Amino acid sequence: MPRIAAASLAGTAIEFYDFFVYGTAAALVLGRLFFPAFSPLAGTLAAFATFGVGFVARPLGSVLFGHLGDRRGRRPVLVGSLLLTGAATVAVGCVPAYGTIGAAAPLLLVVLRFLQGLGLGGEWGGAVLITAEHAPAGQRALWSSFPQIGPAVGFVLANAMVLAPAALLSDAEFAAWGWRVPFWAAGVLALAGLWLRSSLTESPRFLELDDHARVPLAEVVRHHGRLVLLTAGALAAGYAIFYAVTTWSLAYATQRLGVSRSVMLGCIMAAVVLKGALTPVAALLGDRFGRRPLCLTGCTAAALWMFPMVALLATGEPLPMFLGIAGALIAFVTMFAVIAAYLPELYEPRVRCTGAAVGYNLGGVLGGALTPIAATALAEHGGRIPWAVGAYLTGISLLSLGCFALLPETRPAPVPVVQPAVE
């Protein structure tokens, strides 16, 4: 299990690195390079719109790779998704700016972002299932949480790779070529991920199946449609919170409050490291007390924390900003640490790769695709403290709370301890 968990963690870290490095670049530089005719605000909104395209593609990727995972096995999904995402990310770093090729530049950006999302849509299902289906039932949440640490590792790595050239180069040099370096580095990381995953064995649950679904998506829609919609709504809050604090807040603090890029990235990265460290702790609680109670607790905490969070962000001071972001991510991890065990347990094995991945990535569309755009627009028309952003995030948290309340508990019953008979 440690070897399987490590390979899954490394793979998700690399794929989420590819996804996150685009979000950071969109907040800092892509608007003025690829949409120069727009105002600074409109350029940022346009860059975030291309960011959202990746979320729209993720459910399609989960259908494509989910079909492969349910028909041919979980292991091929891990290789195909990593190759696609890595190649698309390297290509983003090679796209000339608007000043060189005109309107073709943002068009290419949108296409490559779509391909990134397509690959990431398949990655989560494959990585989580190959870990969850190898894990013993009583420790499934714990071992399945390791792929969930991958996004935190990928985020810190992506921002470190952006922060280094941003700190070492002038603004003109960073805009000219420095922002491309993190995208080019994705090629090396993808090769490393493929090497790590080459030793993984196929999931035993998949090998036990005698009858594979002919069209997994059709079965999911026909027999599990309500479940897919509930899981998507339940996960929307987590996505909205994560991308509000890691993508929107970066643009808000640097452009509206005048906070330096290095300070804001440092605050966000420190909070994400804390989130990653707490993930296995929350997962252990999920194995002890159940998946659903953790999810309900996290959603409730998120709904209560969104207004304090935006007030702390609006101070523009490093410590309060860190506390605001950290509180939001603690609520997030309380929900998402157990999701890698919870979602697969909700679906039968023959359609598990498709069902769990589609529900997970539809939640990304509902919560992640529009949040940076909506939050940027809402903050622009408010006062110094963006209360409207807090209201938006609170509303999504309450929606997810209602969806989690309608889902069943899935934690396996503990195996009773049989005492030896006393003669």
Side-chain angles (χ1 to χ4, degrees), residues 176-244:
W177 60 270
W179 69 272
R180 299 179 183 275
V181 173
F183 290 89
W184 295 335
V188 178
L189 294 174
L191 292 175
L194 289 172
W195 176 76
L196 284 169
R197 288 183 164 182
S198 63
S199 62
L200 289 180
T201 58
E202 184 53 80
S203 157
R205 298 293 178 272
F206 177 80
L207 295 175
E208 290 169 1
L209 288 175
D210 296 322
D211 182 27
H212 301 289
R214 288 178 58 84
V215 185
L217 179 63
E219 287 198 24
V220 168
V221 172
R222 185 163 57 247
H223 300 299
H224 306 286
R226 177 178 179 272
L227 181 58
V228 169
L229 294 177
L230 282 177
T231 52
L235 300 181
Y239 277 104
I241 292 164
F242 188 83
Y243 287 100

Side-chain angles (χ1 to χ4, degrees), residues 20-388:
F20 290 146
V21 76
Y22 189 101
T24 304
L28 295 179
V29 74
L30 294 186
R32 66 178 186 265
L33 290 179
F34 288 87
F35 305 95
F38 294 3
S39 67
L41 172 62
T44 300
L45 288 170
F48 281 153
T50 63
F51 175 77
V53 167
F55 285 97
V56 174
R58 283 174 65 168
L60 299 177
S62 64
V63 171
L64 174 66
F65 286 101
H67 184 92
L68 177 65
D70 285 324
R71 293 284 299 167
R72 302 297 179 190
R74 319 315 190 195
R75 193 170 177 273
V77 173
L78 299 179
V79 175
S81 61
L82 188 59
L83 280 173
L84 178 59
T85 309
T89 306
V90 172
V92 169
C94 300
V95 176
Y98 186 94
T100 304
I101 60 173
L107 180 62
L108 284 171
L109 211 58
V110 169
V111 171
L112 293 171
R113 181 61 176 172
F114 183 87
L115 293 175
Q116 270 190 324
L118 208 64
L120 191 62
E123 160 65 24
W124 187 85
V128 162
L129 286 190
I130 209 160
T131 307
E133 292 183 341
H134 272 95
Q139 298 177 325
R140 190 174 294 137
L142 172 63
W143 289 113
S144 300
S145 71
F146 282 86
Q148 294 294 83
I149 300 172
V153 176
F155 180 85
V156 171
L157 186 60
N159 282 277
M161 289 294 292
V162 174
L163 186 61
L168 296 173
L169 303 174
S170 67
D171 285 346
E173 290 172 328
F174 182 73
W177 60 270
W179 69 272
R180 299 179 183 275
V181 173
F183 290 89
W184 295 335
V188 178
L189 294 174
L191 292 175
L194 289 172
W195 176 76
L196 284 169
R197 288 183 164 182
S198 63
S199 62
L200 289 180
T201 58
E202 184 53 80
S203 157
R205 298 293 178 272
F206 177 80
L207 295 175
E208 290 169 1
L209 288 175
D210 296 322
D211 182 27
H212 301 289
R214 288 178 58 84
V215 185
L217 179 63
E219 287 198 24
V220 168
V221 172
R222 185 163 57 247
H223 300 299
H224 306 286
R226 177 178 179 272
L227 181 58
V228 169
L229 294 177
L230 282 177
T231 52
L235 300 181
Y239 277 104
I241 292 164
F242 188 83
Y243 287 100
V245 301
T246 59
T247 301
W248 165 74
S249 69
L250 179 59
Y252 169 74
T254 55
Q255 296 175 14
R256 286 287 303 277
L257 304 180
V259 179
S260 75
R261 288 182 305 216
S262 300
V263 168
M264 193 58 196
L265 281 172
C267 291
I268 295 171
M269 289 167 65
V272 171
V273 169
L274 176 64
K275 164 199 165 294
L278 291 177
T279 297
V281 177
L284 280 170
L285 295 175
D287 277 327
R288 174 68 177 84
F289 298 107
R291 290 54 161 133
R292 188 168 171 268
L294 267 289
C295 294
L296 293 172
T297 301
C299 265
T300 302
L304 295 173
W305 185 248
M306 292 301 99
F307 283 110
M309 182 196 76
V310 296
L312 290 167
L313 279 178
T315 65
E317 296 296 327
L319 182 58
M321 289 192 301
F322 165 75
L323 292 175
I325 294 169
L329 291 183
I330 290 171
F332 165 87
V333 81
T334 305
M335 292 181 271
F336 268 56
V338 297
I339 287 300
Y342 195 18
L343 260 64
E345 290 168 349
L346 288 168
Y347 294 89
E348 57 183 308
R350 58 185 276 119
V351 295
R352 184 173 283 163
C353 196
T354 299
V358 168
Y360 185 84
N361 287 295
L362 278 178
V365 175
L366 294 174
L370 294 178
T371 291
I373 301 171
T376 299
L378 289 170
E380 183 65 20
H381 297 291
R384 178 174 175 81
I385 300 178
W387 297 119

Side-chain angles (χ1 to χ4, degrees), residues 369-417:
L370 294 178
T371 291
I373 301 171
T376 299
L378 289 170
E380 183 65 20
H381 297 291
R384 178 174 175 81
I385 300 178
W387 297 119
V389 176
Y392 173 82
L393 295 173
T394 300
I396 294 179
S397 299
L398 293 174
L399 168 68
S400 293
L401 182 64
C403 291
F404 273 125
L406 295 173
L407 289 171
E409 178 56 75
T410 63
R411 180 172 65 104
V415 178
V417 177

